[in-house]
Amino acid sequence: MSFVKRLTGDASPRILWSLGILLVLLLVAPMMLGKYWLSVLILVLYFAFVGQAWNIMMGFAGQLSLGHALYAGLGGYIAAGLYSHYGIGPWAGLFAAVAAAGVAGAIVGYLGFRFSLAGVYFALLTIAFSEFTRVAFDHWEWAGGSGGLFLKVDTTTDIVNLRGGPVLFYYVILALAAGAFVLCRALLESRLGRYWLAIREDAEAAQAVGVPVLRCKMIAIVISAALTALAGVWNAFYYNNLFPETAFAMGRSIEITLAPIIGGLGTLFGPIVGAVVLTGLGEIFTDLGEALRIPGIKQIFYGLALLVIVMYRPAGLWPWLADKLGLKERQP
Amino acid sequence: MSGARLELEGLGKRFRGLRAVHDVSFTVPGGAIHALIGPNGAGKTTIFNMIAGALAPDSGVVRLDGQVISGFRPDRICDAGVGRTFQLVKPFKGLSVLENVTVGALHRRPHLAEAREAAAAILSRLGLHDRRHQLAESLTLPDRKRLEVARALATEPKLLLLDEVMAGLRPTEVDVMVGFLRELNQRTGLTILLIEHVMRAVMALAAEVVVVNYGEKVAQGTPQEITRHQAVLDVYLGEQEAL
Ligand SMILES: Nc1ncnc2c1ncn2[C@@H]1O[C@H](COP(=O)(O)OP(=O)(O)OP(=O)(O)O)[C@@H](O)[C@H]1O
Ligand SMILES: [Mg+2]
């Protein structure tokens, strides 16, 4: 009970009601929505989930990772490899996936934090690791090399092996996104979460008031990597294929950062709002591109839209939106 | 003196060629208020940084209640009971005043609600309670200095290091801060070492004053002794001529 109380804490009743209604709507959505809208909603939830995971590092602890594809890729490859080679289902495989990504995160973190690489230098390290791993997977037979790793497409529902149609994947990603939201709220309302914020603001001052800076940063990267690995597992089984060129791509890493940046770094609702806006814009501009038949127009509009948002709402959309709605997420 | 709360022995630090601190030794007994003074660049902040673990000394040791603490990480030295403020203030800018101090309070109280309560109590004593929901970055410099003190106090230290917390305060504000520190010292027995250029505060608070110049200790004594000390007069006369 005290855990629930800590979670809800000083959140306003309006926020709690809105969240409850949102959850009910999301739970019944597959019964209301057609195939297209369900696939859009799946994308939204996916980006909200990975965004939440990345936000722990950047938004909470202030550590810029531009290599999160590493953890998603590792997670996806390991679970998919275990399934396709040995028939080990993803519910078991995800433990290996999470462990591997956690170890990878710990290595990146230790090298970066122990040797005080800060800001963009740390970001470069994260990119480098993701690139090394891409090259390694290009040559790793077990993982299919550069030719990719494929899972047999099978839409008969088999929850044990995470095989099935979009509705199954929808509920799994919904559970992950909701779980990550609750986890992040709990973290933020804990000593560890406050220590992260202090480190983000000024690591030296934090350490002077007793914050074990290295340890807190390590915990941040391991949790963030582990959650991202879960997204990778889900992704691999949803799309049924993995290629080093895309799984570990720089673009994949950037994509993970966009929802929290657009929605509001360090906020709980930022990644969700960002994911809605980004996915919405993506769909609109894809349709527009098809209607206008100008190749590349989607990317141009998409880029411009992001630019406008970042220029006019540098703190992200959520803080502004919350203010308009009178739902101010209390700045800790 | 084995009963000393803080004991510096032969402390030294070089920055490349520059001898910032050289062979500095002194002690501060438990429950006392001592001051560390000296002209700009004398090495005072460097001494604080070595006590608090922000800098490792090149030579010498620092002891807290007889235990060597030099070479420890700053967070471990905070665990050991040393609280410090920064001369160039370092607020957690994006957090509220209350949350700034709460981070300090979390050190001894792992539960957020309790830490927040303790932080609020400290803020009222320092006259910052009305501003507790403001972002720290919106505070004026004197208030930021108070915030430094509040955040360090929230860690419940045995020894408090104050680096020029009265700089920029108006004389009446200095008196308020002096009153606050004296009351704190008398009520809780907190040991305080303060670096201060505001002589009014040094005279009012310090039982003993350590004077440093060019990284070396040149004098130590009561405020009255210090003002008559030839070496000290030379230091400050030299400074005035340079102006
Ligand atoms: N991190 C550093 N790197 C190089 N030199 C430094 C560093 N910190 C201090 N110094 C130099 O060491 C000397 C002592 O500096 P320190 O800050 O300890 O003086 P201070 O007595 O606190 O002076 P002030 O009254 O101006 O605060 C100065 O010459 C300063 O330039
Ligand atoms: Mg100084």
Side-chain angles (χ1 to χ4, degrees):
Chain A
M1 252 351 256
S2 85
F3 179 72
V4 173
K5 208 162 159 218
R6 210 168 87 195
L7 271 183
T8 52
D10 46 15
S12 73
R14 276 179 71 189
I15 287 227
L16 294 175
W17 274 108
S18 315
L19 275 176
I21 292 166
L22 182 66
L23 184 64
V24 171
L25 286 176
L26 286 170
L27 282 171
V28 300
M31 288 151 232
M32 319 291 221
L33 298 178
K35 229 174 143 184
Y36 169 74
W37 284 107
L38 191 65
S39 72
V40 172
L41 203 50
I42 285 176
L43 270 186
V44 169
L45 290 169
Y46 172 78
F47 284 116
F49 176 54
V50 286
Q52 204 76 259
W54 181 80
N55 198 36
I56 292 176
M57 269 194 78
M58 182 63 195
F60 296 175
Q63 308 302 310
L64 176 59
S65 167
L66 293 179
H68 256 49
L70 169 62
Y71 315 120
L74 269 183
Y77 261 110
I78 286 170
L82 287 174
Y83 182 60
S84 70
H85 290 303
Y86 316 118
I88 299 172
W91 299 108
L94 67 83
F95 289 99
V98 162
V103 168
I107 293 171
V108 173
Y110 191 78
L111 288 175
F113 306 144
R114 181 68 188 75
F115 300 101
S116 310
L117 290 181
V120 290
Y121 300 102
F122 177 71
L124 284 180
L125 183 78
T126 63
I127 294 172
F129 265 84
S130 153
E131 287 293 300
F132 293 152
T133 314
R134 180 176 62 79
V135 174
F137 271 74
D138 264 338
H139 300 281
W140 192 16
E141 283 306 317
W142 185 83
S146 57
L149 184 65
F150 299 88
L151 295 178
K152 219 163 53 230
V153 177
D154 184 357
T155 47
T156 51
T157 303
D158 172 5
I159 294 176
V160 175
N161 288 314
L162 198 58
R163 307 278 65 202
V167 174
L168 172 67
F169 284 93
Y170 171 81
Y171 280 115
V172 173
I173 195 69
L174 174 59
L176 287 173
F181 177 84
V182 172
L183 175 69
C184 284
R185 165 77 185 178
L187 285 169
L188 213 48
E189 292 303 303
S190 74
R191 167 148 83 169
L192 178 62
R194 294 314 160 107
Y195 278 3
W196 283 338
L197 301 182
I199 291 168
R200 177 189 78 192
E201 297 295 322
D202 192 320
E204 198 186 347
Q207 199 165 26
V209 290
V211 175
V213 172
L214 176 64
R215 191 193 316 159
C216 291
K217 284 182 182 173
M218 290 296 287
I219 298 173
I221 194 169
V222 169
I223 295 179
S224 181
L227 290 176
T228 308
L230 290 179
V233 174
W234 178 90
N235 211 35
F237 281 76
Y238 182 53
Y239 290 107
N240 298 308
N241 58 61
L242 283 156
F243 303 94
E245 298 315 316
T246 50
F248 298 106
M250 185 71 205
R252 185 61 63 82
S253 290
I254 299 289
E255 198 175 79
I256 291 173
T257 70
L258 291 180
I261 292 175
I262 295 294
L265 281 176
T267 65
L268 288 169
F269 290 91
I272 301 172
V273 171
V276 171
V277 171
L278 286 171
T279 311
L281 287 176
E283 294 303 314
I284 291 168
F285 292 140
T286 303
D287 290 352
L288 191 71
E290 275 164 15
L292 293 175
R293 303 215 184 134
I294 305 171
I297 198 80
K298 176 199 167 179
Q299 278 72 18
I300 292 174
F301 276 120
Y302 192 72
L304 283 176
L306 295 193
L307 189 69
V308 169
I309 295 174
V310 171
M311 275 173 65
Y312 287 94
R313 295 283 165 251
L317 290 168
W318 171 250
W320 166 77
L321 194 66
D323 205 36
K324 291 267 169 245
L325 298 173
L327 286 174
K328 208 156 167 109
E329 186 179 335
R330 213 179 46 78
Q331 256 299 322
Chain B
M1 205 205 264
S2 61
R5 169 119 313 154
L6 176 71
E7 189 178 353
L8 311 191
E9 199 183 295
L11 219 52
K13 182 76 192 173
R14 281 179 171 278
F15 295 114
R16 288 181 210 96
L18 180 80
R19 204 174 70 175
V21 174
H22 179 68
D23 197 24
V24 168
S25 304
F26 63 86
T27 60
V28 183
I33 302 182
H34 282 195
L36 184 58
I37 67 168
N40 291 116
K44 305 180 294 294
T45 298
T46 305
I47 292 173
F48 266 26
N49 281 334
M50 287 191 281
I51 300 172
L55 287 174
D58 294 338
S59 54
V61 289
V62 179
R63 291 193 194 86
L64 185 74
D65 291 328
Q67 305 286 319
V68 174
I69 56 166
S70 39
F72 284 19
R73 287 199 320 255
D75 51 308
R76 303 306 308 276
I77 291 177
C78 178
D79 290 346
V82 178
R84 63 100 39 114
T85 67
F86 291 91
Q87 180 181 359
L88 299 172
V89 292
K90 285 177 164 291
F92 304 130
K93 285 194 190 135
L95 306 188
S96 72
V97 168
L98 178 62
E99 294 299 328
N100 265 264
V101 183
T102 302
V103 173
L106 279 167
H107 183 241
R108 311 255 181 227
R109 299 159 205 266
H111 294 292
L112 196 55
E114 286 170 32
R116 222 181 247 146
E117 246 170 64
I122 292 171
L123 285 174
S124 359
R125 302 221 318 269
L126 275 158
L128 279 173
H129 200 252
D130 295 343
R131 299 192 181 73
R132 66 190 182 283
H133 294 307
Q134 261 173 251
L135 287 185
E137 67 187 350
S138 71
L139 292 182
T140 60
L141 187 62
D143 280 342
R144 288 183 191 206
K145 297 252 172 187
R146 286 190 194 102
L147 180 59
E148 285 282 323
V149 178
R151 192 176 58 188
L153 273 180
T155 67
E156 298 184 7
K158 301 193 273 194
L159 167 69
L160 181 62
L161 305 174
L162 301 174
D163 197 346
E164 299 198 23
V165 292
M166 318 224 200
L169 298 194
R170 280 179 267 129
T172 51
E173 292 173 327
V174 168
D175 292 341
V176 171
M177 182 61 96
V178 164
F180 169 77
L181 293 174
R182 185 187 287 130
E183 192 269 336
L184 185 72
N185 167 261
Q186 279 166 0
R187 188 168 46 82
T188 65
L190 176 67
T191 312
I192 301 175
L193 178 61
L194 49 96
I195 295 175
E196 204 51 73
H197 284 299
V198 180
M199 280 306 145
R200 179 194 180 84
V202 173
M203 295 297 163
L205 282 171
E208 255 187 60
V209 181
V210 174
V211 187
V212 287
N213 192 26
Y214 293 113
E216 293 187 56
K217 184 169 106 172
V218 292
Q220 179 168 4
T222 64
Q224 289 70 31
E225 286 163 8
I226 286 298
T227 47
R228 291 193 300 267
H229 201 291
Q230 192 53 46
V232 179
L233 293 178
D234 290 347
V235 165
Y236 281 94
L237 218 59
E239 202 187 27
Q240 267 165 11
E241 274 167 9
L243 285 176

